[in-house]
Amino acid sequence: MASGFSYGGGRSRCFTYWQEFQKCYINSENPVECRPLSEDYLECLHKPKEIAHAQAVQNEFIRKAEAAAKEGRKSADILSEGVIVGVGLIQRSGQPQQDSSPKH
């Protein structure tokens, strides 16, 4: 944990989780009791569960789209049923990362 301040000067998004973990750790006779608070803090920092869930959803969508394509459906029909909108945080392997900077 750094200073507790975010890049913009306010509190960081995970500072509350850090405070709860720290309070538990200081007041506890057995630090193992603070494991859930530690996991909450680490999830806030790195989001491994959220990323894993997003990848699972994306993989299932791709699997269904490929299965539908094998049935002979057009790709436009498959995509019209629903598309996962990405913000560019998770890239599929083999896909080049798109540059979102404006071109002049």
Side-chain angles (χ1 to χ4, degrees):
M1 182 72 208
S3 65
F5 292 99
S6 70
Y7 182 73
R11 278 195 165 170
S12 67
R13 63 185 162 90
C14 301
F15 186 66
T16 306
Y17 293 105
W18 170 252
Q19 284 182 320
E20 292 298 319
F21 169 66
Q22 189 177 29
K23 187 186 326 178
C24 177
Y25 194 77
I26 290 170
N27 295 327
S28 178
E29 297 274 333
N30 185 6
V32 175
E33 296 171 357
C34 302
R35 179 65 125 204
L37 295 171
S38 169
E39 291 172 1
D40 289 345
Y41 174 63
L42 291 174
E43 175 65 26
C44 180
L45 283 177
H46 306 292
K47 302 191 182 309
K49 293 177 187 174
E50 182 180 341
I51 290 170
H53 178 72
Q55 287 176 336
V57 169
Q58 185 178 25
N59 290 339
E60 180 64 16
F61 176 78
I62 291 167
R63 187 191 65 76
K64 285 184 177 182
E66 288 173 348
K70 287 180 183 177
E71 293 174 359
R73 294 177 58 200
K74 294 180 182 177
S75 60
D77 293 337
I78 297 167
L79 294 175
S80 68
E81 292 176 359
V83 176
I84 297 174
V85 178
V87 293
L89 298 177
I90 301 173
Q91 296 294 325
R92 282 193 287 173
S93 60
Q95 246 188 354
Q97 198 166 11
Q98 295 178 355
D99 184 19
S100 61
S101 61
K103 295 183 171 78
H104 297 284

